[in-house]
């Protein structure tokens, strides 16, 4: 896929419901101009995870009973995309559609995420998409700390295998759990955080489900994506 031209990006942005406003090279909104590093927990192992570990990890997740969510799930939601992706997108937990289909970010929120990625010049298979939790919490409630504690090691192993050059944390729950903070999402945006022993750059933005409820915030989400692209240029999987 060739680099996206401005007209195509404008089309995607308009389909997102974002007024067209394209930055000049080298200019960044003042609120995003000075990335502030933040210390985060060292959780991802430094060594590469062999490809052979991936099917074993998938089987482990599919059979997992480490927390009570296994009783109410229809499917585990392992994650989809390139296992050597430049960008990794991490959300909160499966919802009803994801639980039914076994795939993260489907339904309307998933369509919006797909459109957001397209605006960055990426298709879904160009990134790896996963959640903090692999099973759906009942009624889409927030994940409990013990559920995150039991499930996060799977994500840590996925990150160690994919070795992304950028993690895009979408939504408050994903951001707070990955960064081990209770800071509000608004304070976490516009900064380059670092995740794990690989010090992977991590950028925070809104969850597409939130953007569907609050379309007025789409402009800020686009600011976040531009910021993420300035940190690590998106590149389709060749
Ligand atoms: S949420 Fe995670 S830890 Fe809990 S049962 Fe599902 S896969 Fe296992």
């Amino acid at each position: 896929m060739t680099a996206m031209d401005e007209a195509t990006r404008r089309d995607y942005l308009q389909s997102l419901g974002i007024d067209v406003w394209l930055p000049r090279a080298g200019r960044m909104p003042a609120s995003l101009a000075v990335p502030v590093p933040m210390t985060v927990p060292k959780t991802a192992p430094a060594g590469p995870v062999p490809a052979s570990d991936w099917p074993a990890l998938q089987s482990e997740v599919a059979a997992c009973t480490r927390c009570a969510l296994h009783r109410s799930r229809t499917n585990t939601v392992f994650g989809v995309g390139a296992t050597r992706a430049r960008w990794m997108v991490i959300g909160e937990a499966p919802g009803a559609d994801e639980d039914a289909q076994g795939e993260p970010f489907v339904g309307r929120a998933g369509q919006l995420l797909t459109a957001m990625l397209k605006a960055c010049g990426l298709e879904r298979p160009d990134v790896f998409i996963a959640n903090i939790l692999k099973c759906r919490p009942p009624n889409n409630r927030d994940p409990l700390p013990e559920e995150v504690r039991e499930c996060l090691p799977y994500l840590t192993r996925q990150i160690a295998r994919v070795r992304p050059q950028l993690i895009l944390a979408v939504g408050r729950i994903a951001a707070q759990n990955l960064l081990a903070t209770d800071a509000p999402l608004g304070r976490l945006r516009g900064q380059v955080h670092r995740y794990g022993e690989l010090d992977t750059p991590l950028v925070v933005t809104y969850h597409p489900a939130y953007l569907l409820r609050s379309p007025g915030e789409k402009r800020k989400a686009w600011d976040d994506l531009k910021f993420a692209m300035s940190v690590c240029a998106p590149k389709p999987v060749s």
Side-chain angles (χ1 to χ4, degrees):
M1 180 177 168
T2 55
M4 177 179 293
D5 61 58
E6 297 289 285
T8 306
R9 193 190 304 281
R10 190 176 300 126
D11 287 345
Y12 283 131
L13 289 173
Q14 283 177 333
S15 73
L16 280 170
I18 296 173
D19 293 337
V20 177
W21 179 89
L22 296 169
R24 289 182 212 155
R27 290 188 64 184
M28 186 65 62
S31 61
L32 302 178
V34 186
V36 181
M38 183 169 174
T39 302
V40 298
K42 306 284 188 186
T43 49
V49 173
S52 58
D53 193 54
W54 198 252
L57 184 56
Q58 284 178 303
S59 301
E60 227 178 291
V61 168
C64 180
T65 57
R66 289 172 63 101
C67 82
L69 294 181
H70 78 275
R71 295 197 193 98
S72 52
R73 74 185 174 215
T74 308
N75 290 297
T76 53
V77 181
F78 182 77
V80 290
T83 53
R84 275 279 185 257
R86 198 170 163 93
W87 280 26
M88 190 158 174
V89 178
I90 301 178
E92 169 183 340
D97 292 329
E98 289 79 12
D99 178 62
Q101 297 183 39
E103 181 171 334
F105 286 94
V106 292
R108 286 182 65 224
Q111 288 166 12
L112 181 54
L113 177 67
T114 302
M116 291 163 71
L117 291 171
K118 280 178 179 287
C120 298
L122 295 169
E123 303 290 337
R124 279 173 70 104
D126 293 324
V127 301
F128 193 82
I129 305 172
N131 282 310
I132 298 282
L133 293 187
K134 309 301 187 201
C135 302
R136 182 193 181 201
N139 303 314
N140 295 343
R141 64 156 168 74
D142 288 353
L144 300 175
E146 57 268 30
E147 293 162 355
V148 174
R149 189 180 61 242
E150 294 300 329
C151 208
L152 202 53
Y154 293 132
L155 182 65
T156 300
R157 286 163 66 187
Q158 289 176 307
I159 294 170
R161 166 73 183 113
V162 175
R163 294 174 83 84
Q165 293 176 38
L166 179 97
I167 293 172
L168 185 67
V170 295
R172 175 182 63 84
I173 299 292
Q176 290 181 338
N177 280 291
L178 289 170
L179 299 174
T181 178
D182 58 3
L185 185 131
R187 282 217 347 249
L188 300 173
R189 294 177 54 241
Q191 305 178 42
V192 181
H193 306 275
R194 296 274 167 183
Y195 183 81
E197 288 187 7
L198 299 175
D199 276 342
T200 307
L202 184 152
V203 170
V204 173
T205 190
Y206 296 99
H207 195 287
Y210 170 78
L211 295 174
L212 290 173
R213 295 192 302 272
S214 308
E217 302 286 53
K218 285 181 181 175
R219 157 71 54 174
K220 291 189 197 167
W222 177 233
D223 285 342
D224 296 335
L225 292 176
K226 284 185 293 182
F227 181 55
M229 287 190 280
S230 76
V231 174
C232 172
K235 200 167 148 195
V237 172
S238 51

